[in-house]
Amino acid sequence: MGVDGVSRQPAPLGQAGVGPQADLHDFPGGTIRFLDTLLSATQPFPLVFFCHYPLLNSPISGTHSFSPQEYDRIVSLLYPHRSQVRLWIAGHLHRQADYPITNRATGETLGRCVETPANKEVVQGQFRLFRVWGDATQASALAYYPNSKTEPLGYRLWTLTGQLLYEGPRPPSLSDWPEGVYLLQEQTAQGLRVRAFFVTGTR
């Protein structure tokens, strides 16, 4: 089911769109009251939710998602159906992540929050395909679809001494390599592109 958590407040400093914070729309017919009404009834099927915002269990999550109080309110509605809650699929932070939804009061987990790095605004934007089956306890892994006209089709990571560290169709993870200077070679439809970057020990 879809969960509308997008704010209607204008973005700050004259930027386009709306602000980054989530909103439960707590008014008659709003999102949280719709969920309350829906989940007050018996749900015979596994529950999968789609929302722009992830369910982050963090004291500072309100900066770019639901506040801790809003998180607790959503989880309190999901908790009675915890045996049926499977997935909360989200975006907003443009990252690949998969973690349990936790009831902060009891420490119990109920389903998983799965984030997609979908982003149409950048050259290396990705999207994630979800194939949910059975009792919805399994979902497909990340599917990466490059745009052959603008995005790299392959990557090679080199040291400055010419040692090849990585070769593959997706960008290498910086967390896999020690501090140092590296060269990233990108194969595109227009030819090769090389970038130099420095990996620090404080990333």
Side-chain angles (χ1 to χ4, degrees):
M1 68 183 65
V3 179
D4 178 12
V6 178
S7 171
R8 302 301 191 266
Q9 297 298 317
L13 305 176
Q15 301 178 71
V18 298
Q21 295 87 356
D23 191 329
L24 288 181
H25 304 297
D26 190 2
F27 50 77
T31 300
I32 192 64
R33 300 193 192 184
F34 163 76
L35 280 177
D36 192 3
T37 300
L38 183 72
L39 296 176
S40 64
T42 300
Q43 298 298 319
F45 303 108
L47 297 172
V48 177
F49 301 88
F50 294 85
C51 183
H52 181 77
Y53 294 90
L55 276 180
L56 295 173
N57 181 10
S58 167
I60 59 172
S61 60
T63 305
H64 288 287
S65 188
F66 298 103
S67 70
Q69 294 75 24
E70 291 171 327
Y71 173 94
D72 288 341
R73 191 169 178 187
I74 294 172
V75 170
S76 70
L77 295 179
L78 301 181
Y79 187 71
H81 305 277
R82 56 192 177 279
S83 63
Q84 295 158 276
V85 174
R86 297 294 186 262
L87 295 171
W88 183 284
I89 298 172
H92 189 60
L93 297 178
H94 305 296
R95 65 180 186 176
Q96 180 184 352
D98 187 331
Y99 45 88
I101 302 169
T102 304
N103 184 322
R104 299 198 304 166
T106 66
E108 292 180 81
T109 61
L110 49 153
R112 292 158 37 223
C113 183
V114 182
E115 297 181 31
T116 168
N119 190 340
K120 64 182 178 62
E121 304 296 339
V122 298
V123 171
Q124 295 179 22
Q126 304 174 17
F127 65 91
R128 189 170 188 172
L129 293 182
F130 292 91
R131 177 175 174 265
V132 181
W133 62 92
D135 64 353
T137 58
Q138 296 175 297
S140 63
L142 175 72
Y144 177 65
Y145 293 86
N147 181 332
S148 60
K149 293 183 179 180
T150 60
E151 299 185 22
L153 304 177
Y155 297 83
R156 289 179 178 173
L157 184 69
W158 304 82
T159 66
L160 291 182
T161 59
Q163 179 185 2
L164 179 63
L165 299 176
Y166 170 85
E167 183 173 9
R170 292 177 53 196
S173 172
L174 298 183
S175 62
D176 294 337
W177 311 108
E179 182 175 299
V181 179
Y182 297 90
L183 298 176
L184 180 64
Q185 182 185 61
E186 301 174 342
Q187 176 67 52
T188 71
Q190 291 75 36
L192 292 177
R193 179 170 58 204
V194 178
R195 302 182 184 186
F197 60 93
F198 180 65
V199 176
T200 70
T202 58
R203 59 190 183 279

